[in-house]
Amino acid sequence: MTGSPSSDSDGADDAKAQRAGVRQEATASDGARVYQAGRDLRILDLRVPRGIRSAFVALVVLALLGGGAWAVVRWVLPSYAPTYKTQFLMDATAVADPGDADAVAASLGTVVGNAGDSDALALRRFGGECGADGNTARLVDFGTDNRKDIVRAARQAPAGGRATLLRGIVQAVDDFSTTFSSTFALGAGQRAKQVNRIVVITRHGRDACDDDTDFVRREIGERIRAAGLDIEFRLIGYQVPENQNDSLKSIAAAGSNPAEPVFAHTQADLDAALAWSTNTEPVLRNATRIVDVLNPAVTRINTAAQEIVEGRLDEAGQNLDRAREPHIGTEFEDLGGRAKTPEAREINDRAAKLREQQKTVLDAADRLLEAARSKAPLGPRHEAFEKAATDYNNQVDAMNKALAALRAQAPAAR
């Protein structure tokens, strides 16, 4: 009997997947097919992190011994979760110019030192023979204190083989789906508070084991859905052949919040693209979120001030109460941990001043409400409120200009 078109398509995809070595077929009890990405096998490595992390490990052990594992999972571990989890996936295939072999490692060495303090970083490489074990491998597990390990591993990664790009991306996605890690490193087995990312640095726009770009994109999308996570892709094509650019753009569309690949031609281009994807984007995201939360709070305060002048004191009090606690603690903490370049320090300082000025506006409105409730003259306190609000608006304008200048530094995608 001739198979249906859909089953023929599934069979073709299965054959491609087996050739690329990205998934293994199993059979569920109901006869449905189940696919699993192949996992690297590792010896269990129980490492005790340094400094204060040792106290955390001791807390976990004591809680488990006391039968409180559920409490650790629900309340303790999330407080130590990284803000961002970023997996670097580097192309380790051989290059024509031996003098250019260390370009990716050099760029990684520049950017990881400026990564956020609460970023959990990891490193994986791809490159090898189609369908063979070891054509991708995790070089450094997720952690918040592994920057030197990443630089060292990138420099020492063996070069050679074919561009097993699909296998590398699929395994990188699978790295995010592990709930707990085989190590005690903070951030290793926890989901990020804000963003999960894969930053791909590749010299190739196509997978060497299958040039069907649609299949590659579908396979990556299926793995992301199976992981149950939103994973952002940032693809950086370094000296990618011109005729492979469109393929890389198609692959980039498989992730959540996709961005166009950046094509770098020189070491300086690569440095700028990697710094933007790793560090500048989170600074912009946090600062924008802070402004987007503080501005409506100040608008609510301004509404309350108008209600006070009109004698609607109860409504004004309710609006002031709602404006007291904007929920941006995570963004402020993460932004502070990224203040390692002049631009990031400027944005962090402006954000801190903006939050303080928002509090000043709120305090001025509180005093205005107190005067209204005590039947005191409103003139002086209303003038103080207007000045505080004007100062806030001026600071917002300055922040918006600083953010626009930072956005203008984005490497152009083409």
Side-chain angles (χ1 to χ4, degrees):
M1 179 181 293
T2 302
S4 65
S6 61
S7 64
D8 290 343
S9 175
D10 289 343
D13 280 1
D14 292 346
K16 293 174 181 178
Q18 290 173 2
R19 182 166 64 253
V22 298
R23 61 184 183 180
Q24 303 166 343
E25 183 175 351
T27 303
S29 59
D30 60 358
R33 290 176 302 170
V34 180
Y35 295 102
Q36 298 177 332
R39 295 179 180 271
D40 297 334
L41 299 178
R42 304 182 186 86
I43 296 174
L44 187 64
D45 175 23
L46 299 179
R47 297 179 296 175
V48 178
R50 297 186 295 271
I52 194 171
R53 293 173 175 83
S54 297
F56 171 76
V57 173
L59 174 62
V60 171
V61 173
L62 288 174
L64 291 174
L65 290 176
W70 65 273
V72 173
V73 171
R74 177 158 187 156
W75 287 306
V76 178
L77 290 179
S79 66
Y80 287 90
T83 306
Y84 275 66
K85 289 186 75 169
T86 301
Q87 170 107 275
F88 295 105
L89 177 62
M90 63 177 288
D91 190 336
T93 56
V95 296
D97 182 2
D100 199 35
D102 294 332
V104 174
S107 287
L108 280 172
T110 301
V111 302
V112 296
N114 291 330
D117 292 341
S118 63
D119 281 11
L121 306 181
L123 177 66
R124 174 176 283 276
R125 65 155 183 86
F126 70 87
E129 298 307 314
C130 299
D133 292 339
N135 63 17
T136 182
R138 176 93 75 85
L139 303 180
V140 181
D141 200 359
F142 283 107
T144 55
D145 56 357
N146 59 2
R147 280 47 170 162
K148 293 182 180 179
D149 295 336
I150 288 176
V151 175
R152 186 183 307 110
R155 288 172 178 164
Q156 296 175 352
R162 306 177 71 188
T164 54
L165 179 59
L166 169 59
R167 176 76 186 277
I169 293 177
V170 167
Q171 290 295 118
V173 171
D174 191 56
D175 291 339
F176 283 86
S177 65
T178 303
T179 303
F180 294 100
S181 172
S182 60
T183 73
F184 281 142
L186 293 182
Q190 297 169 275
R191 296 190 175 188
K193 293 178 182 177
Q194 287 187 338
V195 178
N196 300 293
R197 300 184 299 175
I198 298 175
V199 178
V200 183
I201 311 105
T202 179
R203 297 174 185 270
H204 303 82
R206 297 194 189 115
D207 184 82
C209 304
D210 200 308
D211 59 3
D212 185 344
T213 304
D214 288 338
F215 160 73
V216 172
R217 186 180 63 251
R218 287 197 309 272
E219 188 70 21
I220 294 169
E222 287 176 7
R223 290 307 309 159
I224 292 175
R225 287 190 293 273
L229 293 172
D230 288 332
I231 298 178
E232 296 182 359
F233 281 153
R234 294 296 179 263
L235 270 68
I236 301 171
Y238 180 48
Q239 299 179 345
V240 171
E242 187 79 23
N243 63 352
Q244 296 184 20
N245 286 358
D246 288 342
S247 298
L248 197 62
K249 292 177 182 179
S250 179
I251 293 172
S256 63
N257 191 19
E260 284 283 303
V262 174
F263 294 94
H265 303 284
T266 67
Q267 179 75 58
D269 292 341
L270 181 59
D271 290 345
L274 198 52
W276 175 268
S277 298
T278 305
N279 300 326
T280 307
E281 268 197 323
V283 168
L284 283 168
R285 181 176 302 193
N286 284 321
T288 300
R289 168 67 177 164
I290 288 168
V291 172
D292 288 346
V293 171
L294 289 180
N295 279 354
V298 171
T299 298
R300 189 179 292 278
I301 296 169
N302 190 62
T303 298
Q306 184 62 36
E307 290 168 342
I308 293 170
V309 172
E310 295 172 357
R312 295 182 287 147
L313 305 188
D314 289 342
E315 295 175 39
Q318 293 172 3
N319 270 318
L320 293 180
D321 287 340
R322 295 191 189 102
R324 291 189 191 286
E325 297 181 1
H327 300 292
I328 45 177
T330 298
E331 287 79 6
F332 266 104
E333 180 182 358
D334 190 66
L335 191 59
R338 298 183 186 280
K340 300 176 182 179
T341 64
E343 295 85 357
R345 284 193 292 271
E346 178 190 4
I347 297 298
N348 182 58
D349 290 345
R350 288 191 181 280
K353 292 177 181 177
L354 196 61
R355 179 168 62 172
E356 288 305 310
Q357 189 60 35
Q358 187 262 352
K359 293 178 180 177
T360 299
V361 175
L362 181 59
D363 289 343
D366 282 335
R367 289 193 293 272
L368 182 63
L369 180 58
E370 290 173 0
R373 285 173 172 167
S374 65
K375 308 298 183 182
L378 299 183
R381 295 194 179 184
H382 193 269
E383 290 177 5
F385 170 80
E386 291 289 344
K387 181 181 183 307
T390 298
D391 290 345
Y392 175 86
N393 289 333
N394 290 338
Q395 290 193 26
V396 169
D397 290 340
M399 170 66 95
N400 287 336
K401 289 179 181 178
L403 293 178
L406 198 57
R407 290 190 189 96
Q409 299 178 17
R414 63 172 179 82

